[in-house]
Amino acid sequence: MLDIQSKNETSLFQQISKQLTFFNLRILMIFIILFNISVGVVLSFYIYLDQKSDLIAVLKAEVKEVKINASSLTTDNNTTPRKHNRKKVYFNYFLNKNNVYEIYDETTPGYTIDIEKVLNKINPNQNKAVIKRIAPHDKEELNLMIVTEKIFDSSNHYIGTIYSGKDLSSVVYLIKQFISISFLLSIIFCFMAYYFGKKITSQAMEPIIKSYKEQQEFVENASHELRTPLSVLQAGIDVLNTEQDRLSDFGQETLSDLKKELSDTRNLVHQLLFLARLDNKQIAKVNIEEFRIDTFTEQIQKAWQYKATEKKQHIHMMNEEQFIIKANQESFKQLISILVDNALKYSFEQSTISLNYYVMIEKKAKYFFFEIIDNGIGIAPELQEKIFNRFFRIEEHRSREEGNTGLGLSIAKSIIDSFHGEIIVNSELGKGSTFTIKIPISKLFQVIKNR
């Protein structure tokens, strides 16, 4: 058992260390992604502005030349003189007033038809640059930046429209290469961050693990130190109990008080030690066994009926369906016993406490439900969340008289958490309470059809 618990504790710390490492890695990845996006956007924006400024300068030069040469246009054909190519990376098309394109400069002659199709879709707007992609199935892809300007003569007569463009394919290629390299470096940095983060997290966990082990040792030593004097006190009380008839009335009353206080103290020590084991959330993973739920519920009923008889109460089984549960029976039994004990304490005389269980599907997932229903004093809505806090008591004076340490529901909640389940409280003052245990059917808690 100790070896299993030690392995579970090691597994718990490894899980925490892994969670911290991945959490830090996710934060780093978010920052790297944001950094890459920011750099990519800023770089693309400045490249766009630079290329646009360069292209507008070419456009202005073309407009100036067209205006200068406008006086040489013939009346018959309305054409402008052809010029030599300015640069190979530029193209300049002139759309005359007859809607005929005249090529001044051309980047790639094989794309003339494709370029003209693109130009027909552009609405001329001075100093506005548009990016167009040309990707014929039998040619290389072109990424063109295009600026346009309408030209008017001195008499404000429309001459035509100049379309100046630049092939940015090489620039786009460089940007894509930059993004690819940046992405690759980011992956490398993430692996490095995971490696070093794991080492740093492990080093950071060492003092925590050391402190936890010291705490565990303290709990074990304290349990032995407490059990010894409690056992001595129990032996002394047993001796006095054999001579009870020889004691005075005051002595008998004192002996009765000592019995009660010793019982409460032993119960408190037992609950504290159980909570210490539950704090690692691993107890549900050990001592897993199969048991019939109907037999289990019947045993709970018989075990607590003797106490219920003291207040003329009755424990009733609402369900006798037979199927098998595979889980930590000891923990589950303690969970149900705590809730049944509470129901008996806070229910009126001659009342009934009902036990019910069933399996139900919610949102495509199977859950096991166990209900403890009473018609007792109920719980105020503002206290329903607090009742699971350690050492919390609804009625302080009454709880102390009945030996309630205020740890029972806290233990119950911890057991349910170890099963990855939840507890639902429905209660109304003066009308009773229903505690519903909801546990997902998984490796920790399995429901098997009756064999």
mmCIF file of all heavy atoms in Angstrom, residues 86-113:
data_model
loop_
_atom_site.group_PDB
_atom_site.id
_atom_site.type_symbol
_atom_site.label_atom_id
_atom_site.label_comp_id
_atom_site.label_asym_id
_atom_site.label_seq_id
_atom_site.Cartn_x
_atom_site.Cartn_y
_atom_site.Cartn_z
ATOM 1 N N ARG A 86 11.240 50.895 -70.029
ATOM 2 C CA ARG A 86 11.900 51.645 -68.955
ATOM 3 C C ARG A 86 12.741 50.708 -68.094
ATOM 4 O O ARG A 86 13.916 50.903 -67.894
ATOM 5 C CB ARG A 86 10.845 52.353 -68.117
ATOM 6 C CG ARG A 86 11.399 53.215 -67.013
ATOM 7 C CD ARG A 86 10.269 53.831 -66.221
ATOM 8 N NE ARG A 86 9.473 54.702 -67.081
ATOM 9 C CZ ARG A 86 9.782 55.970 -67.344
ATOM 10 N NH1 ARG A 86 10.866 56.506 -66.831
ATOM 11 N NH2 ARG A 86 9.024 56.700 -68.125
ATOM 12 N N LYS A 87 12.077 49.704 -67.548
ATOM 13 C CA LYS A 87 12.754 48.701 -66.736
ATOM 14 C C LYS A 87 12.046 47.385 -66.952
ATOM 15 O O LYS A 87 10.844 47.360 -67.189
ATOM 16 C CB LYS A 87 12.722 49.062 -65.242
ATOM 17 C CG LYS A 87 13.553 50.282 -64.868
ATOM 18 C CD LYS A 87 13.436 50.525 -63.361
ATOM 19 C CE LYS A 87 14.216 51.761 -62.965
ATOM 20 N NZ LYS A 87 14.077 52.064 -61.538
ATOM 21 N N LYS A 88 12.727 46.308 -66.783
ATOM 22 C CA LYS A 88 12.113 45.013 -67.022
ATOM 23 C C LYS A 88 11.087 44.641 -65.947
ATOM 24 O O LYS A 88 10.229 43.812 -66.184
ATOM 25 C CB LYS A 88 13.191 43.932 -67.114
ATOM 26 C CG LYS A 88 14.007 44.021 -68.387
ATOM 27 C CD LYS A 88 14.961 42.857 -68.494
ATOM 28 C CE LYS A 88 15.736 42.940 -69.799
ATOM 29 N NZ LYS A 88 16.669 41.802 -69.938
ATOM 30 N N VAL A 89 11.194 45.242 -64.770
ATOM 31 C CA VAL A 89 10.271 44.875 -63.701
ATOM 32 C C VAL A 89 8.994 45.683 -63.762
ATOM 33 O O VAL A 89 8.074 45.451 -62.995
ATOM 34 C CB VAL A 89 10.922 45.053 -62.313
ATOM 35 C CG1 VAL A 89 12.060 44.082 -62.126
ATOM 36 C CG2 VAL A 89 11.379 46.490 -62.115
ATOM 37 N N TYR A 90 8.917 46.666 -64.674
ATOM 38 C CA TYR A 90 7.719 47.500 -64.782
ATOM 39 C C TYR A 90 6.960 47.181 -66.049
ATOM 40 O O TYR A 90 7.525 46.737 -67.050
ATOM 41 C CB TYR A 90 8.099 48.987 -64.798
ATOM 42 C CG TYR A 90 8.757 49.473 -63.538
ATOM 43 C CD1 TYR A 90 10.132 49.586 -63.471
ATOM 44 C CD2 TYR A 90 7.996 49.817 -62.433
ATOM 45 C CE1 TYR A 90 10.752 50.034 -62.311
ATOM 46 C CE2 TYR A 90 8.603 50.275 -61.277
ATOM 47 C CZ TYR A 90 9.986 50.379 -61.215
ATOM 48 O OH TYR A 90 10.584 50.815 -60.081
ATOM 49 N N PHE A 91 5.646 47.450 -66.006
ATOM 50 C CA PHE A 91 4.891 47.510 -67.255
ATOM 51 C C PHE A 91 4.067 48.790 -67.228
ATOM 52 O O PHE A 91 3.654 49.271 -66.170
ATOM 53 C CB PHE A 91 4.005 46.271 -67.460
ATOM 54 C CG PHE A 91 2.804 46.207 -66.561
ATOM 55 C CD1 PHE A 91 1.661 46.941 -66.833
ATOM 56 C CD2 PHE A 91 2.813 45.389 -65.447
ATOM 57 C CE1 PHE A 91 0.554 46.868 -66.019
ATOM 58 C CE2 PHE A 91 1.703 45.313 -64.619
ATOM 59 C CZ PHE A 91 0.568 46.057 -64.892
ATOM 60 N N ASN A 92 3.864 49.388 -68.407
ATOM 61 C CA ASN A 92 3.065 50.595 -68.548
ATOM 62 C C ASN A 92 2.138 50.425 -69.742
ATOM 63 O O ASN A 92 2.586 50.227 -70.883
ATOM 64 C CB ASN A 92 3.954 51.827 -68.753
ATOM 65 C CG ASN A 92 4.762 52.163 -67.510
ATOM 66 O OD1 ASN A 92 4.210 52.624 -66.525
ATOM 67 N ND2 ASN A 92 6.071 51.924 -67.560
ATOM 68 N N TYR A 93 0.827 50.462 -69.441
ATOM 69 C CA TYR A 93 -0.179 50.352 -70.486
ATOM 70 C C TYR A 93 -0.936 51.676 -70.550
ATOM 71 O O TYR A 93 -1.252 52.278 -69.523
ATOM 72 C CB TYR A 93 -1.181 49.226 -70.164
ATOM 73 C CG TYR A 93 -0.674 47.845 -70.466
ATOM 74 C CD1 TYR A 93 0.526 47.387 -69.932
ATOM 75 C CD2 TYR A 93 -1.411 46.973 -71.263
ATOM 76 C CE1 TYR A 93 0.986 46.114 -70.185
ATOM 77 C CE2 TYR A 93 -0.970 45.692 -71.533
ATOM 78 C CZ TYR A 93 0.241 45.263 -70.974
ATOM 79 O OH TYR A 93 0.696 43.997 -71.239
ATOM 80 N N PHE A 94 -1.212 52.107 -71.772
ATOM 81 C CA PHE A 94 -1.983 53.320 -71.970
ATOM 82 C C PHE A 94 -3.306 52.951 -72.636
ATOM 83 O O PHE A 94 -3.327 52.341 -73.705
ATOM 84 C CB PHE A 94 -1.213 54.313 -72.847
ATOM 85 C CG PHE A 94 -1.989 55.564 -73.148
ATOM 86 C CD1 PHE A 94 -2.266 56.498 -72.149
ATOM 87 C CD2 PHE A 94 -2.455 55.819 -74.436
ATOM 88 C CE1 PHE A 94 -2.980 57.645 -72.433
ATOM 89 C CE2 PHE A 94 -3.179 56.973 -74.719
ATOM 90 C CZ PHE A 94 -3.443 57.887 -73.714
ATOM 91 N N LEU A 95 -4.401 53.277 -71.960
ATOM 92 C CA LEU A 95 -5.726 53.040 -72.516
ATOM 93 C C LEU A 95 -6.207 54.358 -73.118
ATOM 94 O O LEU A 95 -6.512 55.302 -72.389
ATOM 95 C CB LEU A 95 -6.692 52.564 -71.420
ATOM 96 C CG LEU A 95 -8.126 52.268 -71.872
ATOM 97 C CD1 LEU A 95 -8.158 51.083 -72.844
ATOM 98 C CD2 LEU A 95 -9.020 51.985 -70.664
ATOM 99 N N ASN A 96 -6.252 54.416 -74.467
ATOM 100 C CA ASN A 96 -6.635 55.675 -75.100
ATOM 101 C C ASN A 96 -8.146 55.866 -75.046
ATOM 102 O O ASN A 96 -8.886 55.000 -74.565
ATOM 103 C CB ASN A 96 -6.107 55.758 -76.537
ATOM 104 C CG ASN A 96 -6.650 54.632 -77.408
ATOM 105 O OD1 ASN A 96 -7.757 54.163 -77.211
ATOM 106 N ND2 ASN A 96 -5.832 54.210 -78.384
ATOM 107 N N LYS A 97 -8.591 57.005 -75.580
ATOM 108 C CA LYS A 97 -10.015 57.322 -75.458
ATOM 109 C C LYS A 97 -10.895 56.436 -76.333
ATOM 110 O O LYS A 97 -12.118 56.435 -76.195
ATOM 111 C CB LYS A 97 -10.261 58.789 -75.802
ATOM 112 C CG LYS A 97 -9.773 59.205 -77.170
ATOM 113 C CD LYS A 97 -9.935 60.708 -77.307
ATOM 114 C CE LYS A 97 -9.419 61.195 -78.653
ATOM 115 N NZ LYS A 97 -9.540 62.676 -78.777
ATOM 116 N N ASN A 98 -10.290 55.625 -77.182
ATOM 117 C CA ASN A 98 -11.028 54.641 -77.961
ATOM 118 C C ASN A 98 -11.046 53.267 -77.286
ATOM 119 O O ASN A 98 -11.403 52.262 -77.902
ATOM 120 C CB ASN A 98 -10.426 54.501 -79.362
ATOM 121 C CG ASN A 98 -10.579 55.775 -80.160
ATOM 122 O OD1 ASN A 98 -11.567 56.497 -80.020
ATOM 123 N ND2 ASN A 98 -9.592 56.081 -81.009
ATOM 124 N N ASN A 99 -10.588 53.236 -76.007
ATOM 125 C CA ASN A 99 -10.551 52.002 -75.214
ATOM 126 C C ASN A 99 -9.661 50.931 -75.855
ATOM 127 O O ASN A 99 -9.962 49.741 -75.821
ATOM 128 C CB ASN A 99 -11.956 51.434 -74.993
ATOM 129 C CG ASN A 99 -12.769 52.271 -74.011
ATOM 130 O OD1 ASN A 99 -12.199 52.860 -73.076
ATOM 131 N ND2 ASN A 99 -14.068 52.355 -74.223
ATOM 132 N N VAL A 100 -8.556 51.401 -76.430
ATOM 133 C CA VAL A 100 -7.567 50.493 -76.997
ATOM 134 C C VAL A 100 -6.282 50.620 -76.181
ATOM 135 O O VAL A 100 -5.812 51.732 -75.920
ATOM 136 C CB VAL A 100 -7.282 50.835 -78.483
ATOM 137 C CG1 VAL A 100 -6.187 49.926 -79.027
ATOM 138 C CG2 VAL A 100 -8.553 50.687 -79.297
ATOM 139 N N TYR A 101 -5.738 49.444 -75.757
ATOM 140 C CA TYR A 101 -4.515 49.457 -74.961
ATOM 141 C C TYR A 101 -3.310 49.615 -75.873
ATOM 142 O O TYR A 101 -3.191 48.955 -76.903
ATOM 143 C CB TYR A 101 -4.370 48.163 -74.168
ATOM 144 C CG TYR A 101 -5.297 48.088 -72.967
ATOM 145 C CD1 TYR A 101 -6.428 47.296 -72.991
ATOM 146 C CD2 TYR A 101 -5.016 48.816 -71.814
ATOM 147 C CE1 TYR A 101 -7.283 47.216 -71.909
ATOM 148 C CE2 TYR A 101 -5.855 48.749 -70.720
ATOM 149 C CZ TYR A 101 -6.989 47.955 -70.769
ATOM 150 O OH TYR A 101 -7.816 47.885 -69.684
ATOM 151 N N GLU A 102 -2.417 50.518 -75.446
ATOM 152 C CA GLU A 102 -1.139 50.685 -76.123
ATOM 153 C C GLU A 102 -0.050 50.360 -75.106
ATOM 154 O O GLU A 102 -0.020 50.913 -74.024
ATOM 155 C CB GLU A 102 -0.986 52.111 -76.633
ATOM 156 C CG GLU A 102 -2.079 52.494 -77.623
ATOM 157 C CD GLU A 102 -1.999 53.977 -77.991
ATOM 158 O OE1 GLU A 102 -0.981 54.600 -77.648
ATOM 159 O OE2 GLU A 102 -2.948 54.483 -78.596
ATOM 160 N N ILE A 103 0.807 49.444 -75.472
ATOM 161 C CA ILE A 103 1.837 48.985 -74.542
ATOM 162 C C ILE A 103 3.059 49.875 -74.643
ATOM 163 O O ILE A 103 3.661 50.000 -75.718
ATOM 164 C CB ILE A 103 2.209 47.524 -74.843
ATOM 165 C CG1 ILE A 103 0.975 46.630 -74.715
ATOM 166 C CG2 ILE A 103 3.300 47.056 -73.894
ATOM 167 C CD1 ILE A 103 1.210 45.212 -75.141
ATOM 168 N N TYR A 104 3.405 50.503 -73.561
ATOM 169 C CA TYR A 104 4.627 51.309 -73.514
ATOM 170 C C TYR A 104 5.793 50.459 -73.017
ATOM 171 O O TYR A 104 6.843 50.398 -73.627
ATOM 172 C CB TYR A 104 4.429 52.512 -72.594
ATOM 173 C CG TYR A 104 3.544 53.587 -73.170
ATOM 174 C CD1 TYR A 104 3.238 54.728 -72.437
ATOM 175 C CD2 TYR A 104 3.037 53.488 -74.471
ATOM 176 C CE1 TYR A 104 2.441 55.726 -72.952
ATOM 177 C CE2 TYR A 104 2.236 54.475 -75.000
ATOM 178 C CZ TYR A 104 1.929 55.592 -74.240
ATOM 179 O OH TYR A 104 1.145 56.567 -74.744
ATOM 180 N N ASP A 105 5.630 49.875 -71.863
ATOM 181 C CA ASP A 105 6.645 48.971 -71.303
ATOM 182 C C ASP A 105 5.939 47.672 -70.935
ATOM 183 O O ASP A 105 4.786 47.665 -70.510
ATOM 184 C CB ASP A 105 7.285 49.566 -70.046
ATOM 185 C CG ASP A 105 7.974 50.887 -70.336
ATOM 186 O OD1 ASP A 105 8.804 50.910 -71.252
ATOM 187 O OD2 ASP A 105 7.644 51.877 -69.647
ATOM 188 N N GLU A 106 6.633 46.569 -71.084
ATOM 189 C CA GLU A 106 6.027 45.281 -70.774
ATOM 190 C C GLU A 106 7.006 44.406 -70.016
ATOM 191 O O GLU A 106 8.146 44.222 -70.441
ATOM 192 C CB GLU A 106 5.593 44.592 -72.075
ATOM 193 C CG GLU A 106 4.681 43.396 -71.830
ATOM 194 C CD GLU A 106 4.068 42.907 -73.125
ATOM 195 O OE1 GLU A 106 4.836 42.763 -74.091
ATOM 196 O OE2 GLU A 106 2.847 42.697 -73.170
ATOM 197 N N THR A 107 6.571 43.879 -68.887
ATOM 198 C CA THR A 107 7.444 43.019 -68.072
ATOM 199 C C THR A 107 7.669 41.683 -68.755
ATOM 200 O O THR A 107 8.797 41.240 -68.955
ATOM 201 C CB THR A 107 6.792 42.782 -66.686
ATOM 202 O OG1 THR A 107 6.482 44.037 -66.112
ATOM 203 C CG2 THR A 107 7.715 42.018 -65.783
ATOM 204 N N THR A 108 6.570 41.034 -69.095
ATOM 205 C CA THR A 108 6.643 39.721 -69.739
ATOM 206 C C THR A 108 5.626 39.689 -70.875
ATOM 207 O O THR A 108 4.417 39.685 -70.638
ATOM 208 C CB THR A 108 6.315 38.603 -68.726
ATOM 209 O OG1 THR A 108 5.124 38.955 -68.045
ATOM 210 C CG2 THR A 108 7.442 38.411 -67.732
ATOM 211 N N PRO A 109 6.077 39.676 -72.098
ATOM 212 C CA PRO A 109 5.163 39.742 -73.241
ATOM 213 C C PRO A 109 4.118 38.632 -73.267
ATOM 214 O O PRO A 109 3.026 38.819 -73.772
ATOM 215 C CB PRO A 109 6.108 39.625 -74.449
ATOM 216 C CG PRO A 109 7.434 40.092 -73.928
ATOM 217 C CD PRO A 109 7.487 39.661 -72.498
ATOM 218 N N GLY A 110 4.427 37.487 -72.704
ATOM 219 C CA GLY A 110 3.495 36.368 -72.749
ATOM 220 C C GLY A 110 2.255 36.548 -71.890
ATOM 221 O O GLY A 110 1.335 35.733 -71.968
ATOM 222 N N TYR A 111 2.198 37.593 -71.081
ATOM 223 C CA TYR A 111 1.074 37.788 -70.157
ATOM 224 C C TYR A 111 0.168 38.946 -70.592
ATOM 225 O O TYR A 111 -0.651 39.401 -69.807
ATOM 226 C CB TYR A 111 1.597 38.078 -68.745
ATOM 227 C CG TYR A 111 2.225 36.889 -68.064
ATOM 228 C CD1 TYR A 111 3.552 36.562 -68.295
ATOM 229 C CD2 TYR A 111 1.498 36.103 -67.182
ATOM 230 C CE1 TYR A 111 4.144 35.479 -67.670
ATOM 231 C CE2 TYR A 111 2.075 35.019 -66.553
ATOM 232 C CZ TYR A 111 3.408 34.711 -66.803
ATOM 233 O OH TYR A 111 3.982 33.634 -66.181
ATOM 234 N N THR A 112 0.335 39.438 -71.825
ATOM 235 C CA THR A 112 -0.395 40.635 -72.259
ATOM 236 C C THR A 112 -1.903 40.476 -72.111
ATOM 237 O O THR A 112 -2.584 41.329 -71.540
ATOM 238 C CB THR A 112 -0.050 40.958 -73.724
ATOM 239 O OG1 THR A 112 1.368 41.121 -73.849
ATOM 240 C CG2 THR A 112 -0.741 42.234 -74.165
ATOM 241 N N ILE A 113 -2.431 39.368 -72.623
ATOM 242 C CA ILE A 113 -3.888 39.160 -72.556
ATOM 243 C C ILE A 113 -4.364 39.076 -71.112
ATOM 244 O O ILE A 113 -5.381 39.653 -70.730
ATOM 245 C CB ILE A 113 -4.273 37.883 -73.336
ATOM 246 C CG1 ILE A 113 -3.926 38.049 -74.818
ATOM 247 C CG2 ILE A 113 -5.753 37.567 -73.160
ATOM 248 C CD1 ILE A 113 -4.166 36.803 -75.648
#
